[in-house]
Amino acid sequence: MIQHNYPRAIDFSQRDSLKQILVDSPVLTSYEVSWDTIHFLYHREPAHETPECQFKQHLISIYLKPFEARRWIHGRWCQENYQSGDLSLFPADQTAPKSQCDREDECIHLCLETPFFERVVYEAVNTNRLEIVPNFKFRDALIQQIGLELKTELESGGVESRLYAQSMATVLSVHLLRRYSTCQPIIKQYADGLPKWKLDRVLTYIQTHFDQDISLTELADLVEMSSHYFACLFKQSIGFSPHQYLIDCRIKRAKQLLREQKLSIVEICQQVGYQSQSYFTKVFRKHTGITPKKFRDSL
């Protein structure tokens, strides 16, 4: 069994931290893209022992293979059998116990930045004093779905996905607040959507800047709202999340340029905000059912 020699405080926002906490290189991470509110790691690791440590971010582990683990809690070893789909939750700046894993594990780590989480908490319930309760083994379909969808996004390229990642981090933060905090706060409920002038301002901004890597904070600042408040009211207004609307604008513009027959597909890809042609092709096919080339050939 491999014994890790972790630093006492682990910061997942620093890519070099991976060299200190993982034996093998991760299969997939978000470090190559511009995600700043949530960090993603997907890795496989042989049987290992982890010392007592703390994390700078709220860490959620989603286990994808069965294994047996032991944790040193209150002076004795506690044993758990984990199955695919089980999760663990380690709050930031709280001590995670020493643990042992008896075989190779396959795992997704979601590392939620605490300043972002605290901002969402304050926006939702007007306090930043709530704490997350650790939970070493539980199941949660929404968290698992978020992890798998972020994995799919990164596997597809993910280089223009900051708005998507921030939206998912917001959903995750509110869910943690509702289900896993020290008390059950009353979350503010929003209704009736955005005022027309605010909605028009945001829609115009997205339509004008859809070729850029827009952030949720950027859009919320346009109408002087919090990110959580804005995201809720925006979807109520048009039935789409900000990320979905951004993709819709890009696809509509791509179709227009394909019909004009003036630019190559590579040039169109860049004009609608995608750095990778393969990623653009995957997104286009997902939303239209065909590739950009087949769309052009069918005209």
Side-chain angles (χ1 to χ4, degrees), residues 83-282:
Q83 302 299 318
S84 176
D86 285 339
L87 290 80
S88 293
L89 170 59
F90 303 94
D93 300 322
Q94 296 186 34
T95 300
K98 178 180 179 180
S99 64
Q100 295 177 343
C101 176
D102 74 328
R103 72 197 75 170
E104 180 187 73
D105 70 336
E106 184 175 344
C107 183
I108 288 173
H109 293 313
L110 302 180
C111 315
L112 185 65
E113 285 289 345
T114 49
F116 177 80
F117 173 77
E118 290 170 356
R119 187 163 63 249
V120 172
V121 169
Y122 185 79
E123 293 165 358
V125 295
N126 281 335
T127 182
N128 56 6
R129 297 182 180 276
L130 293 178
E131 293 185 356
I132 297 299
V133 178
N135 196 332
F136 299 134
K137 182 185 176 184
F138 66 105
R139 298 183 78 86
D140 189 305
L142 177 59
I143 295 177
Q144 183 177 14
Q145 180 186 4
I146 289 173
L148 294 175
E149 289 188 1
L150 290 173
K151 179 175 179 286
T152 298
E153 182 69 20
L154 288 170
E155 288 172 337
S156 298
V159 290
E160 297 88 11
S161 55
R162 185 163 56 135
L163 178 58
Y164 181 71
Q166 287 185 345
S167 299
M168 297 296 271
T170 300
V171 172
L172 179 59
S173 296
V174 174
H175 186 65
L176 292 179
L177 176 60
R178 283 194 175 113
R179 295 283 300 275
Y180 304 105
S181 61
T182 49
C183 64
Q184 296 298 313
I186 299 175
I187 308 291
K188 295 178 184 177
Q189 300 296 317
Y190 306 115
D192 301 327
L194 289 166
K196 186 177 184 306
W197 71 270
K198 290 190 174 184
L199 178 62
D200 290 344
R201 175 179 288 184
V202 173
L203 294 181
T204 299
Y205 186 85
I206 295 175
Q207 291 162 6
T208 306
H209 298 84
F210 64 80
D211 59 333
Q212 300 175 18
D213 192 13
I214 300 172
S215 73
L216 186 62
T217 304
E218 187 178 343
L219 295 177
D221 287 347
L222 277 176
V223 289
E224 299 180 342
M225 289 183 173
S226 69
S227 298
H228 171 54
Y229 187 20
F230 166 75
C232 291
L233 295 188
F234 184 93
K235 188 166 186 178
Q236 288 177 4
S237 297
I238 67 169
F240 294 102
S241 69
H243 175 257
Q244 290 170 330
Y245 184 75
L246 172 65
I247 298 299
D248 185 64
C249 288
R250 288 176 169 177
I251 296 300
K252 286 179 178 176
R253 178 56 176 161
K255 287 180 177 180
Q256 180 184 346
L257 293 173
L258 288 165
R259 290 189 187 100
E260 292 174 358
Q261 304 276 357
K262 294 179 181 179
L263 300 175
S264 69
I265 292 177
V266 173
E267 291 170 323
I268 292 173
C269 160
Q270 295 169 347
Q271 288 226 356
V272 298
Y274 293 104
Q275 300 174 26
S276 163
Q277 184 180 347
S278 63
Y279 184 53
F280 166 61
T281 298
K282 288 179 181 179

Side-chain angles (χ1 to χ4, degrees), residues 5-22:
N5 185 24
Y6 284 13
R8 178 158 180 81
I10 301 169
D11 185 353
F12 285 99
S13 67
Q14 304 299 317
R15 183 170 185 169
D16 287 345
S17 293
L18 296 183
K19 298 176 182 177
Q20 297 175 303
I21 63 178
L22 298 179

